[in-house]
Amino acid sequence: MDVYEAVDSRRAVRAFSDEPVPRDVLERVLAAATRAPSSGNLQPWHLYVVTGEPLAELKRRATARALAGDPGDEREYPMYPAELTSPYRDRFSAAAAQRYQALGIRRDAPDRPVRIAALNSEAFGAPVVLFCYLDRTMGPGQWADAGMYLQTVMLLLRAEGVHSCPQVMWTMFRRTVSEIAGADEDLVLLCGVAVGYEREGAVRLRTGRAEMTETVRFIGT
């Protein structure tokens, strides 16, 4: 798979099979991803690969919290700006409508938040979840580095025939994640990434993207 194909085929999969991802595949991907860009070569990411019984226990605890209507742990950073303006709000709303439809959840369903939280806390059935942390002393530049690192990981997974789904939702249950992963208190959870093989017959969601002309400006050509 070349880079263009990897980029084009990468999407947030929300229906995984229970087929395990071989350890050697994960190690190969994560070893190669160390070449991701890093300003000053700080390599600020700390990755915890959770699978097997520890992941099953995490899913049980997080799902129990979600189904009980637990609002989650106090956020350590905002997921989105408090006030989204156009065109960002429009893109968000359009993608949300597509996502709810694919998951079979009506936007006006009264139990929508609980159902969505429960699906997320199950990692959509993924047999592996990667949890990315950063040291609390890191700044915006290092958070950008972590994003580039995770994108590199997800593209390399595609080269191995594996899918993924980044999940900022896990920050809602960050204390439960830390209990299972054993993450140090000096680290802040950026997100989780569900990893696995797509479940056969699952509804495939591919959200739209803005035209390049909406987001790119060529200067001097």
Side-chain angles (χ1 to χ4, degrees):
M1 182 180 294
D2 69 18
V3 177
Y4 282 91
E5 186 179 355
V7 171
D8 187 60
S9 65
R10 190 218 62 81
R11 54 194 169 81
V13 165
R14 293 182 173 84
F16 292 93
S17 74
D18 57 5
E19 179 182 352
V21 180
R23 171 73 174 259
D24 65 309
V25 169
L26 294 172
E27 290 185 347
R28 185 161 55 246
V29 164
L30 296 176
T34 62
R35 301 306 307 175
S38 174
S39 179
N41 201 31
L42 298 188
Q43 303 167 71
W45 47 81
H46 296 261
L47 202 71
Y48 292 76
V49 183
V50 183
T51 187
E53 180 52 35
L55 180 58
E57 176 62 18
L58 174 57
K59 289 180 178 181
R60 283 192 291 268
R61 294 190 196 180
T63 299
R65 292 183 64 180
L67 292 176
D70 188 331
D73 302 319
E74 181 182 357
R75 289 198 175 278
E76 297 188 290
Y77 72 90
M79 188 181 300
Y80 304 107
E83 295 294 333
L84 278 177
T85 58
S86 182
Y88 315 111
R89 182 181 61 241
D90 305 326
R91 295 171 186 163
F92 178 89
S93 298
Q98 285 183 280
R99 185 164 59 250
Y100 297 140
Q101 182 177 5
L103 293 173
I105 302 174
R106 297 195 328 272
R107 291 202 68 180
D108 59 351
D111 61 346
R112 177 174 61 86
V114 171
R115 290 177 64 187
I116 291 173
L119 283 170
N120 269 280
S121 62
E122 285 288 339
F124 305 105
V128 180
V129 180
L130 314 177
F131 291 101
C132 185
Y133 286 82
L134 292 97
D135 191 291
R136 293 182 186 278
T137 62
M138 296 294 105
Q142 289 72 55
W143 285 64
D145 284 351
M148 290 188 285
Y149 168 72
L150 291 176
Q151 173 76 336
T152 301
V153 169
M154 290 186 284
L155 293 180
L156 288 167
L157 286 170
R158 289 304 304 127
E160 297 283 353
V162 182
H163 278 287
S164 62
C165 180
Q167 295 180 277
V168 180
M169 177 285 312
W170 284 108
T171 60
M172 294 173 56
F173 302 135
R174 59 184 175 82
R175 297 189 188 281
T176 303
V177 174
S178 292
E179 289 170 4
I180 297 296
D184 194 284
E185 283 293 324
D186 292 334
L187 300 177
V188 58
L189 179 60
L190 170 61
C191 69
V193 180
V195 173
Y197 298 99
E198 188 171 21
R199 190 174 69 229
E200 187 175 350
V203 176
R204 294 190 173 187
L205 173 62
R206 186 176 176 84
T207 54
R209 290 292 190 268
E211 293 292 334
M212 184 190 71
T213 52
E214 292 184 39
T215 59
V216 177
R217 299 290 181 272
F218 287 92
I219 310 299
T221 57

